Amino acid sequence: MTFHDLLAALDAGQTITGGSPLHAAMHDTSQEALRIAGELNAGYHEPARVRDLLAQLTGRPIAETVTLFPPFTADFGRNIRLGERVFINSGCRFQDQGGITIGDDCLIGHNAVIATLQHDIHPDRRGDLIPAPVTLGRNVWLGANVTVLPGVTIGDDAVIGAGSIVTKDVPAASVAVGSPARVVRGVLA
């Protein structure tokens, strides 16, 4: 089982059966992500070195306009896409197997969690993993301690209030708060 087979299965939303060859490939990729994150978080690095480590983690070029304040963890790394002028504050955790896309000009607050996997609810299949992507449009702001759950899309210019848990899509140009997050108004209201 190759990494590319795994990525194709994840991007297709295919359930990854616990103990399967795909599950083993995912575990191997995660070990590399943990190694890189360990280096990233081991001490101070100049911004260019942080971007270099982030590029190693994602397997993609990272724009010079991206800023990341460690510590940061991703338990897969290879399914993260970052736009231009993205700011990720310290303490963020990305579970990116299902795919995380962050648009241009996004701000991610302290300790935000973006999760793209869930386990099967049936007790006999609890080890199976179900991927679903998370997409943040352009100019999205996630406040501190926000959690975004699998399968969620947050529209352009939306704001998610601190401490919110986002369980469903949020329309563009809206403010959502709470647990679960609910739209309370437009950004210009």
Side-chain angles (χ1 to χ4, degrees):
M1 191 61 48
T2 70
F3 168 75
H4 296 292
D5 295 331
L6 171 62
L7 197 56
L10 290 167
D11 287 345
Q14 179 180 328
T15 297
I16 307 300
T17 304
S20 69
L22 285 173
H23 189 262
M26 189 166 58
H27 181 77
D28 290 344
T29 303
S30 293
Q31 293 308 301
E32 178 65 6
L34 293 171
R35 183 193 67 74
I36 296 167
E39 184 176 347
L40 174 67
N41 299 323
Y44 174 76
H45 301 288
E46 295 287 335
R49 179 64 179 147
V50 170
R51 285 189 300 276
D52 178 58
L53 288 165
L54 194 53
Q56 289 178 42
L57 180 68
T58 64
R60 294 179 169 83
I62 300 297
E64 287 184 23
T65 58
V66 169
T67 302
L68 170 73
F69 286 0
F72 172 80
T73 57
D75 61 359
F76 189 71
R78 300 299 297 265
N79 216 356
I80 299 171
R81 293 165 184 82
L82 300 175
E84 298 274 348
R85 298 168 305 280
V86 170
F87 175 75
I88 301 170
N89 218 326
S90 63
C92 291
R93 295 180 175 269
F94 289 5
Q95 180 197 49
D96 63 291
Q97 288 89 338
I100 296 173
T101 301
I102 299 176
D104 295 343
D105 303 301
C106 285
L107 304 173
I108 312 297
H110 288 92
N111 302 314
V113 173
I114 300 177
T116 66
L117 282 181
Q118 54 191 348
H119 290 272
D120 194 300
I121 196 166
H122 192 278
D124 294 339
R125 295 185 303 275
R126 194 66 46 85
D128 295 354
L129 300 167
I130 305 163
V134 168
T135 302
L136 305 185
R138 184 188 54 75
N139 202 34
V140 170
W141 175 19
L142 300 184
N145 297 301
V146 165
T147 298
V148 181
L149 295 181
V152 167
T153 296
I154 300 175
D156 294 351
D157 300 313
V159 175
I160 310 300
S164 296
I165 299 176
V166 186
T167 62
K168 62 183 179 178
D169 292 353
V170 175
S174 60
V175 176
V177 299
S179 177
R182 290 181 173 77
V183 173
V184 294
R185 65 181 178 92
V187 293
L188 299 176

